[in-house]
Amino acid sequence: DAKTTQPPSMDCAEGRAANLPCNHSTISGNEYVYWYRQIHSQGPQYIIHGLKNNETNEMASLIITEDRKSSTLILPHATLRDTAVYYCIPKGSMGKIIFGKGTRLHILP
Amino acid sequence: SAVISQKPSRDICQRGTSLTIQCQVDSQVTMMFWYRQQPGQSLTLIATANQGSEATYESGFVIDKFPISRPNLTFSTLTVSNMSPEDSSIYLCSVEVPPGGSGGFHNEQFFGPGTRLTVL
């Protein structure tokens, strides 16, 4: 399984875009990049995933570099409810979700 | 999607006893997973439980300590045996489901709310 590097914590002002980076330089060609988040005292929640094209859904956008060695999760208009730990996880189609340390995102009022 | 429930939601147990945690899913799933989250830490995968076969344990976890049952496609149990205070954690069940009707082509994984275990 590919390893990831994420900043341990980040702050973002409410209403601004939160940009969370992830380095996954050892990602395999068949591994997707998944993003999950864990709000305090809850189970992890799926956000988005992608292979090499940028992706967008109702929660976030995912930007993957052309060499696939890094990606950025974008929360376009962060709210206080987006305060959570965000995990970037490379995963193959038959692979397991293996969590790293993640980024603790604080949304500031 | 999949809705996952776990019982109990929390428990306080004495050292040396065992606790069985139940995981129920609202749909039939092939792959179920058990994770542990120690205080202040990330989630660690304990084992993968497929219906009709023995559970597959990750490095550092053994069947004698964490026996798992998977009697059907909607249910699984994890037992934490001969508990010690170091076993105090949140234990989470997770399932993998095929992509939804939107035409996605990659399985999605959903997580239960967790069982908060405190061992005295």
Side-chain angles (χ1 to χ4, degrees), chain A:
Chain A
D1 295 319
K3 295 191 176 181
T4 60
T5 302
Q6 297 180 253
S9 67
M10 293 181 63
D11 292 337
C12 179
E14 188 177 19
R16 304 298 294 270
N19 296 275
L20 293 95
C22 179
N23 183 294
H24 36 77
S25 58
T26 61
I27 193 169
S28 300
N30 65 345
E31 287 183 317
Y32 285 67
V33 180
Y34 279 73
W35 283 82
Y36 280 76
R37 73 180 181 184
Q38 187 175 26
I39 296 171
H40 183 63
S41 297
Q42 298 182 23
Q45 176 190 24
Y46 165 83
I47 302 173
I48 198 168
H49 74 278
L51 182 63
K52 55 183 177 181
N53 297 322
N54 298 338
E55 302 287 344
T56 295
N57 63 19
E58 64 279 3
M59 289 183 69
S61 295
L62 175 60
I63 308 298
I64 303 173
T65 59
E66 190 169 347
D67 62 8
R68 298 201 340 113
K69 293 184 177 182
S70 64
S71 61
T72 301
L73 179 75
I74 301 172
L75 308 179
H77 304 287
T79 71
L80 296 178
R81 288 174 294 181
D82 292 321
T83 292
V85 179
Y86 287 77
Y87 297 97
C88 160
I89 304 167
K91 176 184 173 307
S93 61
M94 300 300 292
K96 300 163 282 192
I97 295 283
I98 303 297
F99 289 85
K101 298 184 185 300
T103 294
R104 186 172 296 275
L105 177 65
H106 299 275
I107 304 301
L108 307 174

Side-chain angles (χ1 to χ4, degrees), chain A residues 30 32 34 36 38 40-46 49 87 91-101 104, chain B residues 31 33 35 37 40-45 48 58 90 92 96 105-114 116:
Chain A
N30 65 345
Y32 285 67
Y34 279 73
Y36 280 76
Q38 187 175 26
H40 183 63
S41 297
Q42 298 182 23
Q45 176 190 24
Y46 165 83
H49 74 278
Y87 297 97
K91 176 184 173 307
S93 61
M94 300 300 292
K96 300 163 282 192
I97 295 283
I98 303 297
F99 289 85
K101 298 184 185 300
R104 186 172 296 275
Chain B
M31 297 187 74
F33 307 88
Y35 288 81
Q37 187 169 28
Q41 303 295 314
S42 181
L43 285 81
T44 301
L45 180 63
T48 302
E58 298 296 308
I90 298 173
L92 298 101
E96 188 175 83
F105 49 87
H106 220 228
N107 289 347
E108 299 180 30
Q109 193 162 335
F110 297 90
F111 290 80
R116 183 179 295 272

